[in-house]
Amino acid sequence: MRGALLIAKKEFLELSKDRKTMFFAFVLPFLLYPAIFGMMAKMGKRDEAQNRNKASRVYVADASGVLNGILTDPKLFERVAKPEGDLKQAIRDQKLEMALEADANAAEALQKHQTFTLTVTMDESERASEVALKRLRESLKGQEKTWVQGRLQVLGASSQLAEPVKLEVKNAADVALEVGKAMGKFLPYLLMIMMYTGAMQHGIYATAGEKERQTLLSLMATRLPRNQIILGKLLYIFCMGVIAALLNLLSMGLSIGFMTGGSANSMQAMSAIANPMTLGLTFLIMVPLGLFFSNFILLMGIQAKNTIEAGSAITPGIFLVVFLGVFTMAPGVDKMAFLSYVPVVNVCIALRKMFSQQPNWLEYAIAFTMTVGLAGLMTLVSTRVLNREKALFKM
């Protein structure tokens, strides 16, 4: 094992000499994520302020005048004339946010205590149209209550006749549980992506890059056993994957905390989720998964003729990881019992339930045991395959 540590130390020393790679690997995440999330937060707040302070432009076709007393607040609604051409196209072109058309006999139907139809045309893909519809519903809610109470007074009935039940909803989930379920959907996916991509480039450099630099022969000429050299490179690739994942997640967590303004609810949720037990079990199961990824990268990279071939062989693994991660984010996946026996997928599901504060220890044990077994099997296969001259010196 001493030889493997020596090889890993040699790889880290080579990495320390490359200042650009050091910057991209260890510094850039702390600059990139704050910039991205800061820009997203600023743009989101600006858009929200614009929608909140801007009156919704609405065209109203109301021959009976039944809506005259509803759209009166100039801060919420701006009644505009009918645009030329197709009405739907005008809304899509953002000339207005919404169009209302009431029945021609709406006022008469209202007097007869009948129901009339109000047709709303809006663009659901636009945030401004959604805001306009929300404002309309809030305005109609109060007006409808007034109309109903007027009808009840005419009939001499109680005002509570139209509201036999008052529904009170109490949320059994606290902030930590809600945030935990949200994080549990995408956090395992992010961990896998960051770990794989973080190890990939360094793995290519340490394997196929060693061949291109023609330093592999001199390394093999040392007294170190070949399996120790392979294990040392495996250790280096694994460490770089773990470091990349941790740094990216740390930067992302700090950026999200800054974006939320450090509110009490967000801090309470983060502290409840980031407890030592959850983090420890997450790291424990990510170790064999990282070894599995590292073995695949090592096996493909060291058999490649050059870095281009290694990149072509290793890159498809990203698409597989992305597919599995996106699949585990789908609703209802955690209720499929057979997925507990699918490699990689079972790790995502186990972590998803753990962050949701609903851990299933049997599923976690199955996922951990299978991942450890796969990592051990992959390590055995890679060391045996790479011990062959044909694999190491493929031309």
Side-chain angles (χ1 to χ4, degrees):
M1 191 62 187
R2 185 178 178 183
L5 294 175
L6 187 63
I7 294 297
K9 181 181 178 181
K10 169 250 181 191
E11 298 293 345
F12 278 109
L13 285 174
E14 285 190 11
L15 175 65
S16 64
K17 296 176 183 178
D18 190 344
R19 294 183 179 180
K20 287 185 179 179
T21 304
M22 291 282 288
F23 172 81
F24 287 121
F26 303 114
V27 180
L28 186 61
F30 291 96
L31 301 176
L32 185 63
Y33 289 111
I36 293 175
F37 284 102
M39 187 181 300
M40 289 173 58
K42 187 175 180 180
M43 293 176 64
K45 289 180 180 178
R46 185 181 63 180
D47 184 65
E48 183 180 354
Q50 288 178 349
N51 289 328
R52 184 174 59 250
N53 299 327
K54 181 182 177 182
S56 300
R57 296 168 297 175
V58 181
Y59 163 69
V60 180
D62 180 21
S64 62
V66 72
L67 300 177
N68 289 339
I70 299 177
L71 311 178
T72 56
D73 192 344
K75 294 182 179 179
L76 299 180
F77 300 102
E78 177 188 353
R79 297 180 70 159
V80 297
K82 184 178 180 180
E84 298 180 358
D86 184 46
L87 189 60
K88 291 184 178 180
Q89 186 61 44
I91 295 175
R92 286 196 291 264
D93 294 338
Q94 300 182 12
K95 294 180 180 179
L96 68 162
E97 280 73 51
M98 187 171 60
L100 303 179
E101 184 179 355
D103 288 343
N105 59 343
E108 182 181 353
L110 192 62
Q111 291 178 356
K112 293 181 179 179
H113 298 177
Q114 296 176 351
T115 302
F116 68 91
T117 302
L118 179 61
T119 305
V120 180
T121 306
M122 48 90 68
D123 184 0
E124 294 184 359
S125 64
E126 284 292 334
R127 173 64 179 164
S129 287
E130 292 181 355
V131 172
L133 181 61
K134 182 180 179 181
R135 290 173 175 175
L136 176 64
R137 283 175 172 168
E138 291 175 353
S139 300
L140 282 176
K141 185 177 180 181
Q143 185 61 50
E144 284 180 341
K145 188 175 181 179
T146 303
W147 286 337
V148 170
Q149 288 179 351
R151 293 180 179 183
L152 293 174
Q153 288 178 1
V154 172
L155 297 174
S158 171
S159 60
Q160 296 182 358
L161 181 65
E163 191 180 3
V165 178
K166 187 176 181 180
L167 184 65
E168 289 187 3
V169 179
K170 294 183 178 180
N171 190 2
D174 54 9
V175 178
L177 181 58
E178 292 178 353
V179 175
K181 286 190 174 182
M183 290 184 62
K185 289 182 179 180
F186 68 87
L187 189 59
Y189 165 68
L190 289 179
L191 278 171
M192 289 196 306
I193 289 292
M194 292 174 179
M195 185 175 291
Y196 189 90
T197 55
M200 185 178 72
Q201 295 300 326
H202 297 281
I204 292 174
Y205 179 85
T207 53
E210 193 94 56
K211 287 184 177 182
E212 286 191 345
R213 296 190 301 275
Q214 298 182 352
T215 54
L216 184 61
L217 289 174
S218 58
L219 192 62
M220 292 297 177
T222 62
R223 293 187 298 174
L224 292 174
R226 188 171 295 176
N227 61 343
Q228 292 291 303
I229 296 174
I230 295 169
L231 291 176
K233 289 185 175 293
L234 175 64
L235 179 61
Y236 167 73
I237 297 170
F238 166 74
C239 289
M240 290 307 301
V242 172
I243 292 172
L246 292 179
L247 289 179
N248 280 276
L249 286 177
L250 178 60
S251 176
M252 188 177 296
L254 294 174
S255 302
I256 293 176
F258 174 77
M259 186 174 66
T260 55
S263 61
N265 287 338
S266 62
M267 293 298 103
Q268 179 186 358
M270 293 299 292
S271 61
I273 293 169
N275 62 76
M277 180 178 174
T278 302
L279 295 180
L281 290 174
T282 301
F283 182 77
L284 182 64
I285 201 170
M286 293 306 292
V287 167
L289 184 63
L291 284 173
F292 177 74
F293 290 159
S294 301
N295 271 296
F296 174 76
I297 293 170
L298 176 68
L299 189 61
M300 295 294 103
I302 211 163
Q303 290 189 95
K305 298 177 183 178
N306 47 51
T307 55
I308 297 176
E309 183 179 323
S312 301
I314 296 172
T315 301
I318 297 178
F319 299 105
L320 180 60
V321 172
V322 168
F323 171 77
L324 293 176
V326 172
F327 174 74
T328 57
M329 292 170 64
V333 169
D334 53 341
K335 296 179 175 62
M336 300 179 183
F338 72 93
L339 292 179
S340 300
Y341 301 95
V342 179
V344 182
V345 174
N346 52 15
V347 174
C348 290
I349 293 176
L351 292 180
R352 177 176 177 175
K353 292 185 177 180
M354 189 174 302
F355 278 97
S356 302
Q357 301 181 18
Q358 299 170 336
N360 188 316
W361 300 115
L362 178 61
E363 291 184 0
Y364 181 89
I366 293 172
F368 180 77
T369 304
M370 288 188 66
T371 310
V372 169
L374 285 173
L377 179 63
M378 196 69 176
T379 303
L380 179 64
V381 170
S382 60
T383 50
R384 288 194 174 184
V385 170
L386 299 180
N387 265 323
R388 302 172 184 173
E389 301 286 338
K390 184 179 179 181
L392 288 172
F393 302 106
K394 182 180 179 181
M395 300 299 293

